[in-house]
Amino acid sequence: MATQRKHIIIDTDPGVDDALALILALRSDELQVEAITTVNGNVCLSQCTENALRILEILGLPEPPPVAQGADRPLCREPLSSASIHGRDGLGEISILKDRSGKKKYPSPRLHPTAKYAPELICDLAARHPRGLTIVTLGPLTNIALALTLEPALPRYVKEIVTMGGAYSAPGNVTPAAEFNFFCDPEAAQQVIASGIPITLVGLDVTRIARLSRHSLLNATKKRTRLNQFLQNATAHAMSFYCEREGYHGCSVHDALAMMVAIDSSFVGTKRVHVEVETEGKLTAGMSVADLRPYSRGKAGKPNAAVALYVDPSRFEHFLLDRITDR
Ligand code: RIB
Ligand code: CA
């Protein structure tokens, strides 16, 4: 008997690794993507939205899911960006690439976002799929926090959240203490984790191990198709960043692992622990504080999240390339 597809919303700030996660989701029969919602993060909101639409066009889907724009800034902090890794356009500077005839290789998308505000769409879809909707978050958690404020009963409707975010027994990537998505909007991250919606946190502990090597990507994208070209073009800038910074010939693809967990939770090993996000610290703002102590801590330390601590990097890379490339 065919297993039922998992209804999901993808909240995202594309972003190169977001792009791979979106492609993975949209090429996986296990998932039914009900909507894509965009949030300020790696680049500004309008660019994130344009990138999401561009990815849908490159995939050439007969019925692409709606794309709804959300927050253009964190709940109460200044917006940041990570153009150094993702390029000024958020997709590895592909917007400036030209083909042999001098035409733009990746012109602006013809698709348009819906007029619906992302937090409202999240609430509408949750009501339409009571206890049957998974939200996969790949950027700062601002839209989800706004949806919770808009509809305080949301935890009664949403089945689960799978989040790329945090660092639990590993250092941060934006500061020694904090990972980018939680550092951008610590207040939103804390509000979502404290909401009581079952949440799986896929942080740097596992995403810094499960990476995409340049050799594997080139090997898997030899066939000259538009998608394979996009995968090579969009990851080149990030791969140069990691090569210069760490001497690694490849790149981290944090969001792709979170999406893989939404497909099949067995891709990571998790531990249920109590997590809170620091919102006051000068040095520790955005830090995800997980109580990993091996003894019970009473009510205050009641586990509220499943934190991913183990991953098989080879299984990850094989599955990812199998799904997102044209062989
Ligand atoms: O820290 C990694 C996360 O921040 C990823 O989601 C990446 O796309 C950026 O948003
Ligand atoms: Ca992201």
Side-chain angles (χ1 to χ4, degrees), residues 13 17-18 42 138-139 255:
D13 62 335
D17 58 329
D18 302 70
N42 286 314
L138 309 177
D255 297 329

Side-chain angles (χ1 to χ4, degrees), residues 93-308:
E93 310 275 343
I94 60 167
S95 46
I96 58 173
L97 293 179
K98 298 262 174 47
D99 61 23
R100 287 202 190 90
S101 66
K103 279 189 355 191
K104 279 199 164 197
K105 214 171 165 184
Y106 300 97
S108 297
R110 290 178 306 283
L111 289 172
H112 297 284
T114 62
K116 196 89 177 168
Y117 182 44
E120 287 173 6
L121 182 59
I122 291 168
C123 293
D124 291 353
L125 285 169
R128 206 179 305 164
H129 301 276
R131 311 290 315 151
L133 185 72
T134 294
I135 302 176
V136 183
T137 74
L138 309 177
L141 288 164
T142 317
N143 285 342
I144 318 307
L146 290 169
L148 281 163
T149 302
L150 197 61
E151 176 49 84
L154 199 62
R156 289 212 301 269
Y157 293 97
V158 175
K159 179 182 168 193
E160 61 175 343
I161 297 179
V162 178
T163 285
M164 192 282 134
Y168 305 90
S169 60
N173 55 2
V174 187
T175 70
E179 175 278 326
F180 179 81
N181 288 337
F182 284 16
F183 183 72
C184 281
D185 202 338
E187 288 75 16
Q190 173 55 27
Q191 185 178 349
V192 172
I193 292 171
S195 72
I197 298 174
I199 190 166
T200 301
L201 297 168
V202 182
L204 298 179
D205 315 73
V206 286
T207 67
R208 66 198 171 96
I209 300 170
R211 292 178 139 183
L212 177 60
S213 76
R214 185 167 180 278
H215 172 75
S216 303
L217 178 70
L218 294 180
N219 239 359
T221 54
K222 285 178 181 154
K223 195 174 170 187
R224 281 188 69 77
T225 69
R226 182 132 175 82
L227 175 57
N228 283 352
Q229 281 292 301
F230 170 78
L231 292 169
Q232 289 184 15
N233 294 156
T235 56
H237 186 279
M239 290 194 172
S240 308
F241 171 87
Y242 282 95
C243 190
E244 280 156 37
R245 190 176 72 167
E246 304 172 23
Y248 174 64
H249 295 282
C251 61
S252 290
V253 281
H254 310 277
D255 297 329
L257 180 56
M259 189 58 70
M260 215 170 279
V261 172
I263 292 169
D264 176 351
S265 59
S266 74
F267 275 102
V268 292
T270 61
K271 189 170 187 313
R272 282 199 57 77
V273 294
H274 184 80
V275 175
E276 288 189 65
V277 180
E278 176 59 65
T279 58
E280 311 288 332
K282 180 165 147 303
L283 300 175
T284 54
M287 180 176 182
S288 46
V289 182
D291 193 344
L292 296 167
R293 291 173 294 178
Y295 45 83
S296 80
R297 280 84 47 196
K299 195 169 175 332
K302 188 167 168 296
N304 61 356
V307 168

